Amino acid sequence: MFDELVNETSKDILSHEQRKRLRTSEEQHRFEYAIRYILSDLWKASKCIPKRSCLINLRSGFYSENPRYRDPNLTYRQVKAAFETMLSMRLIEITQEGYYDKVRMEGSLTCYTARDELQDRLLHLKGHPAISLKPNLDNEIVLLRNIVDGRKQLINYEDTYETVIYRENLRKINKCFSRHYSDLRIKDKEIPNLVSKLQTHSDKQPIDLSSRTLVRIFSNGSFKEGGRYYRGWWQNVPSEYRKHITIGGKKTKEYDFSQLNPHMIYFAHHLEIGREDAYNRVLDGQHRDIVKEAFNAMIQASTPLQNCPSDLNLDPIEMSWPELKAKILNAHKPIAHLFFTGLGNKLQFEDSCIAENVMLHFTKMNAPALPVHDSFIMHYAYGGELEEAMRRAFHDRFEKDIPIKEEMLIEVANPETEDIIFKPGPSVEEILLGDVEHSQWQERDRMWFS
């Protein structure tokens, strides 16, 4: 058990230290808390897809800056003592030294991992961090960022009526999420392919199933910009794998707002968007995904983008960035003046408020609606009500209707023809009758329901 590992490690560390002066009871509590913090992060890291290293901040000022966002039980002195003692005992090792440049006010965190003996113990611990380690529902979950010295940084703020409501609502949502278990049901042999896919996505982090609650992040020092929900493990799952997400061991449905940003822009300015798809109209139905990415980059930017965004590949369309920009502007003449005005963060605030309403609707029913940008994932039985809730939340904000798309099919290979077919995902009863291809998922599922 994890608690046994923490207790054993704490005793070993205390014996190894051979301190001349005993810590006060408060110092001892924080020292043992730091040990638990380090071990829990190591355990989570060992179960991530793919496995990750851990990060720790060894800059003293970090633990006193912005107390709103800091865990009060973590202090520089006790974190540093626990970390250095674990290093000297060869329980952990540094894989990359951290640094901080006081002139440039930038740096990187110290990166570390468990050494072989501890790593082996973590891998064979009974339980799973996503199930055994309960989320801390008291952490600050309403975050405000701004550009300070050229970098995005968390900044302090004074609570208002709105921020208190945002926090109270998100705590209700997170409590609901913590009462349910969501997982990723993929075949064991498919995990290496998922790892490879994640490693090619610059915007994807390792999937940590213990990240089961959300924070709400506002931007540009304003509670009217940004406000989207982040840090749910399912948000790191590549889109083609999201159909394998389960909630309570059951298959799920995903419903997407269709062309969310274009609809919000047109409706907010009392314009008609027309029947033709907002992205297909640019290149006569070709390369929709590229057009969508370019459209959103142009809306997000606050100045004209002279160069193509680094993560946008134009090779498939054989067209220069200026040419694509011109076609998007021409296809959307009624809103052409709104591109490159930094509208994107304001749109994010609008869609975050819509998302809040949808999640609160289902929280009252004790049913988690997992947000992924402009879509939601829910237990399949709520499909029809989810679609209606999304339509209603959008209409309440813009007094207009928006199309909703549904996804619930799992792609499988026909064993006789090897063709790709589609069929509904299996029930949990079918899975438990002898499916050994998803053994890792099965094991976690049993832990949750045991």
Side-chain angles (χ1 to χ4, degrees):
M1 298 289 290
F2 179 70
D3 286 343
E4 293 175 359
L5 174 62
V6 173
N7 292 334
E8 289 176 18
T9 305
S10 296
K11 290 178 181 177
D12 290 344
I13 289 175
L14 290 173
S15 298
H16 180 84
E17 278 190 309
Q18 297 180 338
R19 290 176 59 86
K20 294 180 180 179
R21 183 182 69 83
L22 294 177
R23 293 183 176 91
T24 66
S25 59
E26 182 179 354
E27 289 172 338
Q28 185 62 28
H29 166 75
R30 288 177 171 173
F31 181 68
E32 292 177 3
Y33 188 92
I35 295 171
R36 173 178 287 273
Y37 171 81
I38 292 170
L39 287 173
S40 65
D41 200 33
L42 287 165
W43 193 23
K44 292 175 186 178
S46 72
K47 296 294 186 178
C48 282
I49 305 173
K51 294 181 179 65
R52 62 168 173 83
S53 293
C54 296
L55 298 173
I56 192 166
N57 199 314
L58 296 177
R59 184 173 63 86
S60 60
F62 171 81
Y63 295 88
S64 57
E65 296 167 353
N66 282 343
R68 174 182 288 277
Y69 304 112
R70 303 286 175 251
D71 185 334
N73 289 302
L74 290 176
T75 62
Y76 171 70
R77 180 174 294 181
Q78 303 309 331
V79 168
K80 188 171 186 289
F83 185 77
E84 290 184 345
T85 306
M86 292 177 75
L87 278 175
S88 66
M89 293 175 65
R90 300 179 65 78
L91 294 173
I92 59 177
E93 62 182 345
I94 293 175
T95 55
Q96 182 176 322
E97 294 281 357
Y99 76 94
Y100 184 71
D101 187 322
K102 292 183 179 180
V103 176
R104 297 183 179 181
M105 296 185 68
E106 62 183 24
S108 66
L109 301 181
T110 297
C111 189
Y112 69 99
T113 189
R115 293 182 68 90
D116 292 344
E117 183 177 347
L118 178 57
Q119 182 71 18
D120 187 64
R121 288 204 64 183
L122 291 168
L123 288 173
H124 293 91
L125 273 181
K126 183 179 179 181
H128 190 282
I131 299 166
S132 303
L133 302 179
K134 304 305 179 185
N136 186 346
L137 299 176
D138 295 324
N139 284 341
E140 180 57 82
I141 49 179
V142 176
L143 283 55
L144 181 62
R145 283 180 178 165
N146 204 357
I147 303 298
V148 180
D149 297 322
R151 296 185 301 125
K152 290 182 181 179
Q153 297 186 44
L154 290 174
I155 62 172
N156 198 13
Y157 60 88
E158 296 293 329
D159 269 317
T160 64
Y161 174 80
E162 286 77 14
T163 62
V164 170
I165 294 298
Y166 294 153
R167 188 179 298 108
E168 289 178 353
N169 285 344
L170 185 49
R171 286 215 167 118
K172 292 176 185 176
I173 293 165
N174 280 340
K175 285 179 181 177
C176 175
F177 284 13
S178 68
R179 289 193 293 266
H180 299 264
Y181 183 64
S182 56
D183 205 330
L184 187 64
R185 181 185 177 272
I186 61 173
K187 295 179 180 179
D188 298 347
K189 66 180 182 181
E190 180 62 22
I191 293 176
N193 293 332
L194 174 57
V195 168
S196 177
K197 190 76 175 179
L198 287 166
Q199 291 172 338
T200 60
H201 277 255
S202 60
D203 62 334
K204 298 294 184 185
Q205 300 295 320
I207 296 172
D208 179 357
L209 294 171
S210 67
S211 296
R212 295 166 46 211
T213 55
L214 301 168
V215 298
R216 192 172 183 185
I217 303 178
F218 293 85
S219 56
N220 293 334
S222 169
F223 286 105
K224 296 298 181 183
E225 297 192 34
R228 278 185 170 178
Y229 298 87
Y230 295 97
R231 300 185 186 173
W233 70 262
W234 56 90
Q235 295 172 326
N236 279 317
V237 176
S239 57
E240 61 267 38
Y241 283 89
R242 292 206 296 263
K243 56 181 172 279
H244 300 299
I245 291 173
T246 60
I247 298 177
K250 298 290 187 177
K251 60 182 177 284
T252 55
K253 280 187 177 181
E254 180 176 3
Y255 279 91
D256 294 50
F257 286 112
S258 179
Q259 311 152 66
L260 180 58
N261 274 349
H263 276 95
M264 289 194 295
I265 297 169
Y266 275 85
F267 292 163
H269 292 84
H270 309 290
L271 298 169
E272 292 299 324
I273 191 170
R275 292 182 176 273
E276 188 178 6
D277 184 285
Y279 307 120
N280 282 338
R281 71 182 64 173
V282 175
L283 298 178
D284 297 324
Q286 300 296 311
H287 308 292
R288 185 181 188 277
D289 288 344
I290 294 176
V291 171
K292 178 180 178 180
E293 193 172 345
F295 180 103
N296 289 327
M298 291 165 62
I299 285 296
Q300 188 70 30
S302 56
T303 58
L305 293 175
Q306 301 302 328
N307 299 315
C308 179
S310 58
D311 56 350
L312 182 60
N313 180 17
L314 299 185
D315 291 344
I317 64 174
E318 298 180 348
M319 184 179 295
S320 70
W321 172 242
E323 290 174 320
L324 179 57
K325 279 199 304 181
K327 286 187 175 293
I328 291 174
L329 293 171
N330 185 61
H332 290 282
K333 289 179 181 178
I335 60 169
H337 62 290
L338 297 171
F339 289 97
F340 311 116
T341 62
L343 187 60
N345 287 321
K346 295 180 178 65
L347 293 177
Q348 287 183 8
F349 175 70
E350 294 296 334
D351 71 49
S352 74
C353 292
I354 293 170
E356 180 184 53
N357 287 339
V358 172
M359 290 188 289
L360 284 174
H361 172 81
F362 288 103
T363 292
K364 293 174 184 176
M365 303 165 61
N366 191 29
L370 309 180
V372 187
H373 307 306
D374 57 355
S375 70
F376 296 89
I377 298 169
M378 284 200 77
H379 185 294
Y380 70 94
Y382 290 96
E385 187 158 355
L386 174 58
E387 180 179 4
E388 177 58 29
M390 291 170 68
R391 290 185 191 278
R392 186 165 55 248
F394 186 89
H395 192 277
D396 287 347
R397 200 81 184 171
F398 291 95
E399 298 183 345
K400 292 280 188 176
D401 294 322
I402 186 172
I404 306 291
K405 298 182 296 182
E406 172 192 349
E407 295 287 346
M408 192 190 71
L409 300 177
I410 293 181
E411 184 177 305
V412 296
N414 185 319
E416 297 180 0
T417 65
E418 295 186 351
D419 292 333
I420 296 298
I421 60 175
F422 291 86
K423 68 177 184 181
S427 69
V428 75
E429 291 80 8
E430 294 171 323
I431 295 165
L432 294 177
L433 283 175
D435 178 10
V436 296
E437 293 184 309
H438 305 82
S439 66
Q440 295 188 35
W441 176 87
Q442 276 186 287
E443 183 61 26
R444 293 190 297 269
D445 197 61
R446 289 194 191 102
M447 289 177 195
W448 177 261
F449 288 106
S450 64

